[in-house]
Amino acid sequence: MSISWDPAAAGVLRLPSGRLVRGRALRNPLPPGARPNFALYLLGRRPPAVEWEHRWLRWPDFRLPSDDAETADALREAWARAVDDRVEIACGGGKGRTGTALACLAVIDGVPNDRAVAYVRQHYAPRAVETPWQRRYVARFR
């Protein structure tokens, strides 16, 4: 049984395959309604404990992830789980690191690398993927 997000809810990105992933800012309160089944937290230090399954990637603000292989593995897990689970990807502000991760999910989902940032900006947040090196990371993501 599929238990995904409401596609009309704020911060929910619909990938071309139909998978739904919620992006959000951890500095804001948890949105009302359903909670994630799985979350990927992109922070420079370990996030506070949560009641749902999650992974933490060491990813300092305005920078790139510390471990490319671990990041690719975590993003592929999030993408695969989004078929049946409510998957959330979040960082402090919900735009730079979260947008970069969502753009990488779009690449995994079949969006060409050179269009993934534009896809996320159109369907998630106009200012997603904040830095030139984050855009370059998406362009080179495999």
Side-chain angles (χ1 to χ4, degrees):
M1 182 175 134
S2 179
I3 49 170
S4 64
W5 299 110
D6 174 358
V12 174
L13 172 69
R14 179 185 294 276
L15 293 166
S17 65
R19 288 171 168 88
L20 301 172
V21 179
R22 180 172 76 185
R24 80 174 179 101
L26 290 171
R27 68 176 61 124
N28 295 337
L30 186 65
R35 293 180 179 227
N37 301 100
F38 177 75
L40 187 55
Y41 296 126
L42 318 170
L43 298 166
R45 59 183 169 185
R46 188 171 299 281
V50 292
E51 300 169 8
W52 46 87
E53 189 177 352
H54 67 282
R55 279 179 81 168
W56 165 55
L57 292 176
R58 186 179 303 277
W59 192 333
D61 200 10
F62 295 105
R63 303 269 166 88
L64 297 176
S66 299
D67 185 321
D68 287 341
E70 181 183 8
T71 301
D73 180 65
L75 291 170
R76 282 177 174 61
E77 179 182 1
W79 177 80
R81 293 183 70 154
V83 169
D84 294 315
D85 290 339
R86 286 184 302 272
V87 173
E88 171 178 271
I89 296 183
C91 65
K95 299 288 189 277
R97 294 167 285 181
T98 296
T100 301
L102 291 173
C104 291
L105 288 185
V107 170
I108 294 168
D109 206 59
V111 175
N113 292 65
D114 63 346
R115 294 192 199 151
V117 171
Y119 183 88
V120 169
R121 287 178 173 171
Q122 179 181 0
H123 298 285
Y124 170 67
R127 293 190 175 174
V129 192
E130 296 174 309
T131 68
W133 41 93
Q134 289 171 342
R135 289 190 297 277
R136 192 168 37 251
Y137 187 84
V138 174
R140 296 177 178 167
F141 182 78
R142 298 279 172 242

